[in-house]
Amino acid sequence: MAGVVHRHHHFARRGYRQRVYVERTKPLEQYTTKELYVRFCFGKADIEYLVNLLRPKLQHRTQRSHGLPVEDQILTALRFYACGTFYQVLGDYMGVVKSAVCDVVRDVSITLASLVNEFVSFPKDNQIAQAKRSFFLLGNMPNTIGAIDCTHVHIQAPRENEWEFINRKGRHSINVQLVCDADLMITNCVVKWPGSVHDARILRESALYRDLQTNRPDGIILGDSAYPLLPWLMTPSLTANTPAQACFNTAHCRARCAIERLNGVLKRRFACLNYLRAEPQKACNITLACIVLHNIATKRNVPLCADNDAPEPLGDPDQPPAFCQNEQTGRATRDAIVRHYF
């Protein structure tokens, strides 16, 4: 019976289960495009694109044990990413049993996470010039190709090494490093570190850091004072002693707001990232899935509701500045920018 979920109720006296049929919802047929955006963060054409993109890796589930069709798997996962509700509540909404929801969120998240290198890439060649133009238009900051920051994805207390995940605010989290361009496209991400780890350490241990230290980019990345001052990583002047330094700090703040805005948009578009009832590895896969979906949505010009475009509160003001043994080269680069442009 197509489009029907089987549920069983136990009867203790007779020792058998009564099969109950629950009609599965068909969102693409019953909702308008605007209603799909509200409920799933994507419109009909976008969802069809995702179905075709993920079908090769998800369709095997439909070939055994009468698994969910790929379209239903993706809709179920998208609904979870959009609201982050309990699996039982989501299952009742979608007409899918709770255990199937758990399996679907896991499988779709892993599949999307496997595409991160395809949809998240640092600007190269002609993309660099466009990135510089966009950042200059955003905040009059010259030669800028990205902005970097970390954001915490809160999770339930893990069963193992629980203490490592307690962040400075006393909550369990994954500390996620993101780099974005002025159009809020994510160009690099690191999703694996416990919430207790400092932003600067996440950068220092990353492949991005090793690559940019070895092959200096044609441009700079903007970071807050939690990061070290490097030739390719500009932080604001802690004390602006001249008008030029003050102008630099103002431009730096305006341009760097892109990453603050991204963090807010990401968690408003995918509300599940505000709190995940998941162990760390699954939480990382879900976060990576949302990062890939965010870039797909940005490329496809998927609209955001007006209240989804608000920036995340600035800061982590209690995070100590990064320790760097030698910032002299980075300071010389910053001084040159101040001298020539401000």
Side-chain angles (χ1 to χ4, degrees):
M1 186 178 293
V4 171
V5 180
H6 297 169
R7 294 184 178 175
H8 302 278
H9 293 290
H10 290 269
F11 290 82
R13 289 184 178 179
R14 297 187 179 181
Y16 68 85
R17 297 184 296 176
Q18 180 185 22
R19 178 169 288 179
V20 178
Y21 296 94
V22 180
E23 190 68 26
R24 187 173 296 149
T25 60
K26 297 183 180 297
L28 294 186
E29 297 177 10
Q30 68 188 75
Y31 293 127
T32 66
T33 296
K34 184 176 181 180
E35 290 171 336
L36 288 171
Y37 285 138
V38 171
R39 290 164 174 80
F40 299 95
C41 297
F42 290 90
K44 184 175 181 179
D46 308 309
I47 292 170
E48 290 172 347
Y49 167 82
L50 291 171
V51 170
N52 292 329
L53 176 69
L54 303 181
R55 186 185 301 279
K57 293 188 177 182
L58 293 177
Q59 64 183 355
H60 71 278
R61 285 177 50 79
T62 67
Q63 296 172 357
R64 67 174 191 272
S65 303
H66 305 287
L68 287 175
V70 172
E71 180 182 292
D72 290 349
Q73 293 182 55
I74 291 172
L75 285 166
T76 300
L78 288 178
R79 181 60 182 165
F80 172 78
Y81 301 143
C83 63
T85 190
F86 290 100
Y87 288 160
Q88 184 67 66
V89 175
L90 179 55
D92 292 344
Y93 177 84
M94 296 295 298
V96 179
V97 295
K98 177 182 176 181
S99 60
V101 174
C102 181
D103 291 343
V104 163
V105 171
R106 179 197 64 210
D107 291 349
V108 174
S109 297
I110 290 173
T111 302
L112 282 167
S114 71
L115 301 175
V116 68
N117 291 331
E118 181 177 341
F119 287 95
V120 178
S121 59
F122 205 67
K124 297 178 180 178
D125 304 326
N126 61 321
Q127 296 173 333
I128 291 178
Q130 178 58 43
K132 290 180 180 180
R133 282 193 295 269
S134 296
F135 270 110
F136 190 79
L137 290 173
L138 180 63
N140 291 327
M141 191 69 188
N143 208 35
T144 302
I145 59 175
I148 187 171
D149 200 7
C150 285
T151 187
H152 287 265
V153 174
H154 297 122
I155 62 173
Q156 68 183 15
R159 289 192 294 263
E160 297 181 2
N161 301 322
E162 175 266 346
W163 60 272
E164 291 184 350
F165 294 85
I166 300 176
N167 60 31
R168 293 178 310 283
K169 296 182 179 179
R171 298 185 64 182
H172 299 90
S173 66
I174 304 293
N175 197 4
V176 178
Q177 176 179 285
L178 298 173
V179 180
C180 77
D181 63 17
D183 299 316
L184 307 192
M185 281 287 291
I186 299 171
T187 58
N188 186 267
C189 63
V190 178
V191 186
K192 65 179 182 179
W193 290 93
S196 64
V197 179
H198 193 285
D199 294 2
R201 182 188 170 192
I202 295 176
L203 172 65
R204 191 171 62 249
E205 300 285 344
S206 69
L208 178 69
Y209 178 87
R210 293 191 295 272
D211 184 38
L212 298 187
Q213 283 287 82
T214 304
N215 306 297
R216 184 172 172 181
D218 180 19
I220 57 173
I221 296 175
L222 307 179
D224 62 21
S225 57
Y227 289 101
L229 179 60
L230 302 169
W232 50 267
L233 176 56
M234 292 292 102
T235 60
S237 298
L238 295 180
T239 55
N241 297 318
T242 67
Q245 288 177 337
C247 289
F248 170 86
N249 278 1
T250 299
H252 185 286
C253 180
R254 287 175 178 170
R256 199 186 70 82
C257 78
I259 189 66
E260 302 287 354
R261 198 160 155 254
L262 166 68
N263 289 337
V265 166
L266 191 63
K267 290 181 179 179
R268 286 162 176 78
R269 174 173 267 153
F270 304 113
C272 70
L273 297 181
N274 290 294
Y275 180 72
L276 288 170
R277 300 173 187 87
E279 288 295 309
Q281 185 56 61
K282 186 172 184 180
C284 288
N285 287 333
I286 291 171
T287 303
L288 283 168
C290 292
I291 287 170
V292 170
L293 288 172
H294 168 83
N295 275 6
I296 290 174
T298 304
K299 283 184 178 180
R300 295 179 62 85
N301 297 313
V302 175
L304 282 167
C305 298
D307 60 350
N308 279 355
D309 206 19
E312 192 178 61
L314 292 175
D316 278 340
D318 56 343
Q319 184 163 40
F323 173 74
C324 186
Q325 289 183 331
N326 185 4
E327 293 188 342
Q328 185 174 358
T329 307
R331 185 170 288 106
T333 302
R334 186 173 65 188
D335 290 345
I337 292 174
V338 171
R339 188 165 56 252
H340 288 109
Y341 293 99
F342 298 95

